[in-house]
Amino acid sequence: MMKILPIEQNQSTNLFIQAPYQKEKIFLSSPHMTGNEMKYINEAFDTNWIAPIGPNVDKFEAELAAYTGAAAGAALSSGTAAIHLALHLLGVGKGDRVFCSSLTFVASANPILYEGAEPVFIDAEEQTWNMSPAALRKAFVASAEEGKLPKAVIVVNLYGQSAQMDELLEICNEYGVPIIEDAAESLGSLYKGRSSGTLGKFGIYSFNGNKIITASSGGMLISNDAQALVKARFLASQAKDPAPYYKHHEVGYNYRMSNILAGVGRAQLEAIEDRVNARRAIYARYAEAFKDIEAIEFQPELEDTRSNRWLSAFTLNTDITALTPENIKRALETEEIESRNIWNPLHQQELFKDAPFYKDGDGEAVSEKIFRCGLCLPSGSNMTAAQQNRVIRVIKNLFNN
Ligand SMILES: *Cc1c(COP(=O)(O)O)cnc(C)c1O
């Protein structure tokens, strides 16, 4: 029979947990459970709703709609799927044009390609790091001259900060083009008292593992057009027509959220305000700790908005420091601390090399500058003060030497 060693004699376990040179890893943003997740998962098991349909899915949709103030929500397998369905519902198809923020994760724009449409990328501005109204205006003027307006505009709320929605909406309304708000990173954020994600025709949230709340994976499409969401749920379940046999008249997708994962999402949503407060407190501690380091400029919070501060992100003023984001990232890495570059603007990606791009101003694109000078710090709501102090010490040491 195999002899099981007591744990203290198990060398590999000991090495990992106790060796003094093995520092505890600090992650950028790791899942933070509330303790209620198993309750809803067990409900799913007890009632045998182990399917992409069931009470947790219905309740998660209703609870998220209530929290954000949207008329309704459709729970989906991912935020990317939600963007895809939003484009589909707006009739975006082959050869159509779609405007999209450039400074974002590739998932914001991939669904444009799924539909065979053509992305046009819009630069960022300095006040929120999101879509520049000036650049959006230029793109619309050029498109109108060509006689080919976009079918939709995808506006991203980066790292939890809302874009200048009033200005963007005014331009889009002038041309009669709907906005899809990519609020994957901004659940819990506010724009002039309204929930981030509810200002456009459609909004999308993501519950991927590193987002402010997670269902391990998943997404939600929200809208004040409840009828459009009925259509979204239909498309997300293989577009099965109501009939006593299998009947289909249009293409569908397998995009519904699992009833088990919706249970995780429900428990997580109960804690959203706590999570926002925790991330904002983490940001506030960074801001306080680095207030004397002039070269560090955090992502601004626009007046009359509340960012959930999903990630505390800053740019380095390279006019006054010789340090680069890469220097900081490497120093943190040595101490087992994860940090991340800002999203690499999509207009710079090989994948989108043929896509037009409109800049905010005349010099270096704002999105390129934020990418070149920026960094995201560990911001998880479950990070302890001691852990955050480790992050702060490493960065302060770099600037003091
Ligand atoms: C995470 C994210 C997405 C994609 O969400 P998934 O649920 O991972 O598909 C889309 N846009 C942005 C800006 C994101 O950060």
Side-chain angles (χ1 to χ4, degrees):
M1 220 177 82
M2 196 178 88
K3 189 166 172 262
I4 298 172
L5 294 173
I7 196 83
E8 58 273 18
Q9 289 179 33
N10 182 329
Q11 283 303 309
S12 59
T13 308
N14 263 354
L15 272 177
F16 183 69
I17 296 173
Q18 291 179 355
Y21 50 83
Q22 183 78 48
K23 293 194 190 80
E24 173 202 28
K25 172 113 181 160
I26 300 175
F27 293 99
L28 188 78
S29 175
S30 68
H32 185 181
M33 295 297 105
T34 65
N36 276 343
E37 286 80 6
M38 288 311 289
K39 183 178 94 186
Y40 296 117
I41 291 174
N42 284 332
E43 275 178 25
F45 275 79
D46 291 345
T47 55
N48 207 32
W49 280 107
I50 316 296
I53 178 175
N56 279 334
V57 172
D58 297 343
K59 286 177 183 159
F60 190 34
E61 288 177 346
E63 286 157 3
L64 192 104
Y67 173 70
T68 58
L76 303 171
S77 53
S78 71
T80 311
I83 298 171
H84 186 194
L85 288 187
L87 290 171
H88 198 84
L89 289 164
L90 292 172
V92 172
K94 201 166 184 323
D96 285 334
R97 186 171 276 175
V98 176
F99 292 175
C100 182
S101 303
S102 185
L103 189 60
T104 183
F105 183 42
V106 69
S108 301
N110 268 336
I112 302 171
L113 301 185
Y114 302 167
E115 289 294 291
E118 292 161 8
V120 171
F121 291 109
I122 314 292
D123 200 8
E125 37 77 359
E126 307 263 5
Q127 288 97 313
T128 71
W129 295 11
N130 291 305
M131 185 181 281
S132 151
L136 178 67
R137 168 73 66 189
K138 288 180 206 169
F140 264 116
V141 168
S143 277
E145 271 171 17
E146 279 176 60
K148 188 179 172 181
L149 289 176
K151 280 263 182 82
V153 177
I154 300 172
V155 175
V156 179
N157 301 306
L158 211 65
Y159 304 130
Q161 173 58 51
S162 285
Q164 297 185 30
M165 290 306 294
D166 279 349
E167 288 80 355
L168 298 174
L169 277 163
E170 194 183 310
I171 298 169
C172 289
N173 289 341
E174 199 179 304
Y175 287 93
V177 177
I179 286 181
I180 299 167
E181 225 188 323
D182 180 347
E185 303 175 0
S186 63
L187 181 64
S189 299
L190 299 173
Y191 179 86
K192 300 189 178 176
R194 294 164 68 187
S195 286
S196 179
T198 63
L199 289 108
K201 167 76 183 171
F202 291 104
I204 77 98
Y205 300 111
S206 166
F207 312 109
N208 209 335
N210 68 1
K211 297 287 160 46
I212 190 159
I213 63 167
T214 180
S216 80
S217 66
M220 188 85 73
L221 178 65
I222 59 154
S223 180
N224 285 327
D225 182 348
Q227 221 32 53
L229 293 187
V230 171
K231 181 79 194 271
R233 292 186 204 99
F234 163 80
L235 292 171
S237 351
Q238 308 287 16
K240 201 152 18 103
D241 291 329
Y245 46 91
Y246 291 102
K247 187 168 175 293
H248 303 272
H249 76 282
E250 65 182 307
V251 66
Y253 306 90
N254 184 3
Y255 274 174
R256 279 297 251 169
M257 180 183 278
S258 146
N259 190 57
I260 296 171
L261 301 193
V264 179
R266 289 183 68 196
Q268 290 270 293
L269 185 60
E270 292 170 354
I272 181 69
E273 285 297 309
D274 289 345
R275 299 300 184 253
V276 172
N277 290 334
R279 296 217 184 216
R280 287 180 63 81
I282 283 163
Y283 162 74
R285 265 185 255 130
Y286 280 133
E288 174 64 24
F290 301 141
K291 67 175 190 293
D292 295 328
I293 306 177
E294 256 180 83
I296 293 182
E297 297 167 352
F298 280 98
Q299 180 183 23
E301 189 173 38
L302 193 70
E303 205 187 310
D304 212 3
T305 68
R306 172 179 86 164
S307 171
N308 66 15
R309 292 286 179 187
W310 172 54
L311 295 182
S312 288
F314 65 83
T315 50
L316 280 180
N317 184 337
T318 45
D319 295 338
I320 56 175
T321 181
L323 286 170
T324 65
E326 248 3 81
N327 296 144
I328 299 178
K329 195 168 128 188
R330 253 180 277 126
L332 290 169
E333 227 163 57
T334 316
E335 296 296 318
E336 291 291 319
I337 298 166
E338 187 183 22
S339 63
R340 282 261 175 97
N341 292 95
I342 303 290
W343 304 122
N344 186 355
L346 298 184
H347 71 271
Q348 304 201 103
Q349 306 286 350
E350 156 124 41
L351 174 64
F352 299 114
K353 64 179 186 304
D354 298 326
F357 170 62
Y358 290 89
K359 280 201 296 187
D360 175 63
D362 293 330
E364 181 184 21
V366 173
S367 53
E368 291 175 25
K369 181 178 162 226
I370 293 172
F371 167 64
R372 180 170 59 79
C373 304
L375 197 69
C376 301
L377 295 176
S379 308
S381 49
N382 50 2
M383 181 167 61
T384 64
Q387 288 176 321
Q388 191 175 3
N389 286 339
R390 261 175 63 198
V391 181
I392 290 168
R393 255 197 315 275
V394 173
I395 295 174
K396 277 193 164 171
N397 280 344
L398 265 184
F399 279 91
N400 291 339
N401 288 333

